[in-house]
Amino acid sequence: MDNPEIARTLEEVADILEIQSSNPFRIRAYRNAVRTVETVTVPLRRWVEEGRALTDLPGIGKEMANHIKEMVETGTLGFRDELLAEVPRSLIELMRLPGLGPKKARKVFDELKIGSVDELEAAAREGRIAALPGFGAKSQEKILAGIADYRQQGSRFLLNEAERSVEPLLAYLRETPEIERLEVAGSYRRRKETIGDIDLLAIASQPIPVMERFRGYAQVDKILMAGDTRSTVVLGSGLQVDLRVVPAECYGAALVYFTGSKEHNVKLRRRAVERGLRISEYGVFQVHEEGSETEGECIGGGEEAEVYAAVGLAWIPPELREDHGEIELAAAGRIPDLIRVEDLRGDLHMHSTWSDGRNSIEEMVEACAARGYEYMVISDHSKSLAMTGGLDAYRLREQWKEIDEVRARHPEIRVLRSMEVDILGDGSLDLEDEMLAGLDLVLISLHSRLDLPLVQQTDRVLKALEHRQVNIFCHPTARLINRRKPAELDLEVILRRAAELGVALELNCSPNRLDLKDTHLMLAKELGCKIVIDTDSHRTRELGLMRYGVDQARRAGLGPEDVLNTRGFEDFWIAIQRSRM
Ligand code: DGT
Ligand code: CA
Ligand code: CA
Ligand code: ZN
């Protein structure tokens, strides 16, 4: 476990102890330990490995030291699991709701006999929460908002989580002799950032054995529907999967239909009606009489391109099918050539063991070179992000020496020195100007005080962008998909200013960030912003996350020319410089 995870675990223990109304001193001991773990500048893993006494740290007694050692060595904490077993599950669920917390969860549990999120919601709607002493109308509102967030989050999978369940299933199904063609449709094919359920389509010589094999997959947890040409199952991961076998002659029409989006399909069908046609999941049909219910002659639908051609359109890449203007573009023959992962020539944001990364600079360099990159950027955290072991000026200089040595050993790739510098609460930067001047590129990020009100947060970012050394504003909204809302920012104002100053915006590839998101990227392009795509890797393996960012960029209609790090180094280097103003 790394420091943030250790802190989270100890915090959970404190919360459960609080629910149990344990000794307040004991609860406080855990909360103090959390604060220490959050602020200590060294990974505790290293501390333990080096055999140093954890009790030397402020607020860490013997019990806490043992806990930390256990978490570092085993990756879990037995005491936490014991506690979890003592408290009703429903109460834990209530406690984790944003806007509730342990004390209030206990109160509604005891006083209103509320044992589930549904009951809590009902009580809040009836005004019974506001009537409780210590709650009031405002906290009732907050609880309702928290429940809405919680509901939305719980039900959708991140794209990479869905992939983890889907890819092995596809491999399994592809071994079925009766299957002639198999594809994933739906949001997964459109590469949306979150996935509700998986929609599979197949052509098969015989559907029934295909259905049997599908339902017999070892990971199937529940069968929701078992038909001859369609079945629905839930996998152990909780992901719901639907498989339909369709006739070959309408496969393309079915693929269009089940790929969606719904809004895209609605527009397509409207276009068909204007041309005296009807598009359905079964094909494209000539409509004979006005208002006639009888099906006309089928004029195509075996391949997707036939469906689009029937309504005068070029084939549209699935990532664009959101009714964000793609049908109009296709009608004008102006569907862009979308960026591909092979277009990227360098990765501009990554960490090493100098802060919270898991691999050394040299390991990162070798991995980037192995990917065929021409250039790369080492960007460890700055000192105010103490939890990550962020660097101060002294350690940054030490890091530069190591970068120089690694550069000498690896002439095959250009290694740029950078830092992901924290934007402090007032918009100033977490590194001295003379040190900033020594960096090849300066990356800036928001990591703290993400709850500032809109005007203040926007001003904070604007001030940071003005700083003359800054080149890239990373994961601009700081959202964590399913976990944390975006910071409140007037993004249009920020993008306009960034475009004027020549500061690039990052599209962060981490599947739980994907920040900027698709519509923001469209706006950024429209406003003439520079855009870069990078992985923010914390280990060599994560360099492969680039493809998620590329998916997102494609959803925004970006081509290789819209992204700076598709360029060769000389061009890139000129383009990434700020405007002279
Ligand atoms: P998801 O599963 O929530 O991530 O999103 P999708 O887009 O995969 O949606 P899903 O699974 O409900 O349906 C798959 C596709 O089937 C959807 O993108 C379009 C099509 N579809 C489903 N229901 C309707 C509908 O009521 N009308 C139309 N026109 N298309 C539909
Ligand atoms: Ca779906
Ligand atoms: Ca579905
Ligand atoms: Zn980073």
Side-chain angles (χ1 to χ4, degrees):
M1 279 198 197
D2 52 13
N3 293 12
E5 217 175 327
I6 293 171
R8 261 203 307 280
T9 308
L10 292 175
E11 183 152 36
E12 194 176 8
V13 170
D15 287 346
I16 302 171
L17 290 174
E18 192 151 0
I19 272 197
Q20 292 180 320
S21 309
S22 291
N23 179 339
F25 292 104
R26 188 146 188 240
I27 298 169
R28 185 148 355 120
Y30 277 90
R31 301 235 183 262
N32 288 341
V34 170
R35 210 163 319 125
T36 297
V37 175
E38 278 176 347
T39 49
V40 69
T41 54
V42 191
L44 291 172
R45 180 173 39 87
R46 204 181 301 155
W47 202 289
V48 170
E49 281 165 7
E50 289 170 1
R52 292 166 70 183
L54 289 160
T55 45
D56 290 351
L57 291 166
I60 304 293
K62 223 163 151 203
E63 185 184 10
M64 242 32 93
N66 286 336
H67 284 338
I68 292 172
K69 198 152 172 275
E70 181 185 342
M71 285 185 266
V72 166
E73 286 168 356
T74 69
T76 59
L77 181 62
F79 180 55
R80 188 251 325 248
D81 299 341
E82 281 166 34
L83 282 178
L84 276 176
E86 290 170 9
V87 177
R89 282 206 69 76
S90 49
L91 189 45
I92 299 284
E93 199 182 1
L94 289 179
M95 174 187 94
R96 287 181 182 151
L97 276 182
L100 213 54
K103 266 199 209 114
K104 287 187 168 168
R106 179 92 239 176
K107 216 167 198 175
V108 297
F109 189 81
D110 288 347
E111 298 194 12
L112 296 177
K113 306 277 171 273
I114 283 170
S116 72
V117 177
D118 286 343
E119 287 171 23
L120 182 67
E121 184 176 19
R125 294 213 182 284
E126 290 161 13
R128 282 189 287 137
I129 303 291
L132 275 181
F135 278 76
K138 217 166 178 184
S139 62
Q140 178 167 286
E141 236 167 72
K142 225 167 145 188
I143 287 170
L144 278 172
I147 292 172
D149 281 357
Y150 171 85
R151 289 252 160 80
Q152 224 203 341
Q153 288 168 14
S155 54
R156 297 187 68 85
F157 286 70
L158 295 181
L159 187 53
N160 66 325
E161 293 168 348
E163 258 178 14
R164 227 174 285 147
S165 295
V166 171
E167 290 303 322
L169 170 61
L170 291 178
Y172 165 87
L173 286 174
R174 291 217 161 89
E175 284 169 20
T176 315
E178 292 83 3
I179 290 187
E180 290 164 12
R181 191 165 166 179
L182 174 70
E183 257 160 303
V184 189
S187 52
Y188 188 89
R189 183 166 182 239
R190 304 198 312 277
R191 309 308 288 162
K192 278 202 71 160
E193 56 199 33
T194 63
I195 304 298
D197 73 349
I198 296 292
D199 311 277
L200 300 178
L201 280 187
I203 301 176
S205 53
Q206 293 178 319
I208 291 173
V210 170
M211 286 297 139
E212 283 169 356
R213 184 164 160 89
F214 174 56
R215 298 191 300 259
Y217 181 50
Q219 294 301 316
V220 168
D221 194 36
K222 247 186 295 184
I223 297 172
L224 298 184
M225 198 181 90
D228 291 348
T229 59
R230 179 181 170 192
S231 296
T232 306
V233 303
V234 180
L235 302 180
S237 61
L239 189 64
Q240 186 172 317
V241 185
D242 214 39
L243 171 63
R244 288 180 168 81
V245 172
V246 301
E249 59 276 14
C250 68
Y251 185 79
L255 194 52
V256 169
Y257 183 88
F258 291 108
T259 296
S261 65
K262 204 164 158 183
E263 293 73 16
H264 174 89
N265 289 351
V266 166
K267 262 238 173 106
L268 269 190
R269 280 201 301 265
R270 202 177 304 147
R271 247 183 111 83
V273 170
E274 288 162 10
R275 286 166 174 71
L277 301 171
R278 209 173 84 81
I279 292 179
S280 75
E281 56 192 290
Y282 304 109
V284 183
F285 301 90
Q286 201 83 54
V287 177
H288 288 312
E289 293 160 45
E290 191 96 359
S292 154
E293 285 299 309
T294 52
E295 206 78 274
E297 178 196 358
C298 178
I299 60 164
E303 295 295 336
E304 281 195 329
E306 293 170 24
V307 179
Y308 286 103
V311 290
L313 300 176
W315 181 81
I316 299 176
E319 295 92 326
L320 293 177
R321 300 183 195 173
E322 299 291 344
D323 188 25
H324 286 163
E326 72 282 3
I327 291 181
E328 292 74 8
L329 283 178
R334 286 179 38 233
I335 287 286
D337 272 329
L338 300 179
I339 186 168
R340 294 161 312 156
V341 76
E342 310 85 87
D343 292 325
L344 276 304
R345 311 276 287 269
D347 196 333
L348 307 180
H349 181 170
M350 70 190 73
H351 300 264
S352 74
T353 44
W354 280 85
S355 64
D356 59 349
R358 290 302 175 87
N359 290 99
S360 67
I361 291 177
E362 184 145 30
E363 286 164 345
M364 295 308 283
V365 168
E366 284 167 354
C368 283
R371 302 192 83 85
Y373 289 148
E374 196 184 323
Y375 47 95
M376 62 180 288
V377 178
I378 297 287
S379 54
D380 276 301
H381 287 290
S382 62
K383 63 179 180 300
S384 77
L385 220 55
M387 228 194 330
T388 66
L391 309 180
D392 58 12
Y394 174 78
R395 291 188 66 225
L396 184 59
R397 280 214 182 80
E398 294 294 304
Q399 191 205 36
W400 291 349
K401 290 183 202 158
E402 184 171 319
I403 290 179
D404 283 341
E405 291 164 19
V406 175
R407 277 175 175 164
R409 287 195 290 272
H410 295 279
E412 71 275 21
I413 185 167
R414 206 180 282 260
V415 183
L416 302 183
R417 58 188 196 196
S418 177
M419 179 177 247
E420 183 181 10
V421 182
D422 250 54
I423 302 173
L424 301 176
D426 64 355
S428 62
L429 300 183
D430 189 28
L431 189 69
E432 302 77 349
D433 281 2
E434 55 166 275
M435 296 303 293
L436 290 171
L439 296 169
D440 295 317
L441 289 177
V442 174
L443 278 53
I444 57 168
S445 300
L446 290 173
H447 287 122
S448 60
R449 311 216 40 202
L450 298 172
D451 55 352
L452 290 179
L454 179 89
V455 173
Q456 219 175 321
Q457 194 74 280
T458 304
D459 285 349
R460 176 189 182 192
V461 169
L462 288 175
K463 184 174 165 204
L465 294 177
E466 297 297 328
H467 209 102
R468 302 187 60 85
Q469 316 281 0
V470 169
N471 300 104
I472 302 174
F473 179 28
C474 297
H475 49 71
T477 75
R479 71 166 178 174
L480 293 176
I481 302 172
N482 286 354
R483 294 224 317 264
R484 185 170 75 206
K485 284 212 179 110
E488 285 191 47
L489 286 173
D490 188 334
L491 213 61
E492 184 168 344
V493 168
I494 288 170
L495 294 181
R496 276 185 200 285
R497 190 64 187 143
E500 284 166 7
L501 295 167
V503 173
L505 282 308
E506 176 186 76
L507 160 51
N508 188 297
C509 295
S510 180
N512 68 0
R513 286 198 186 267
L514 292 172
D515 185 7
L516 296 174
K517 68 173 181 176
D518 56 350
T519 48
H520 293 154
L521 290 166
M522 290 177 185
L523 181 62
K525 176 175 171 171
E526 191 187 310
L527 296 176
C529 293
K530 299 175 187 174
I531 299 167
V532 300
I533 307 183
D534 55 49
T535 60
D536 195 0
S537 291
H538 286 71
R539 54 186 90 213
T540 51
R541 165 158 48 85
E542 289 173 1
L543 293 165
L545 298 177
M546 197 62 104
R547 62 195 179 86
Y548 295 106
V550 169
D551 286 339
Q552 184 89 336
R554 291 171 64 88
R555 291 170 45 68
L558 301 189
E561 68 287 351
D562 297 317
V563 175
L564 262 46
N565 51 325
T566 60
R567 305 186 185 190
F569 181 73
E570 307 301 331
D571 280 356
F572 164 76
W573 187 243
I574 293 167
I576 196 72
Q577 302 307 316
R578 289 171 69 98
S579 320
R580 259 191 276 272
M581 51 188 301

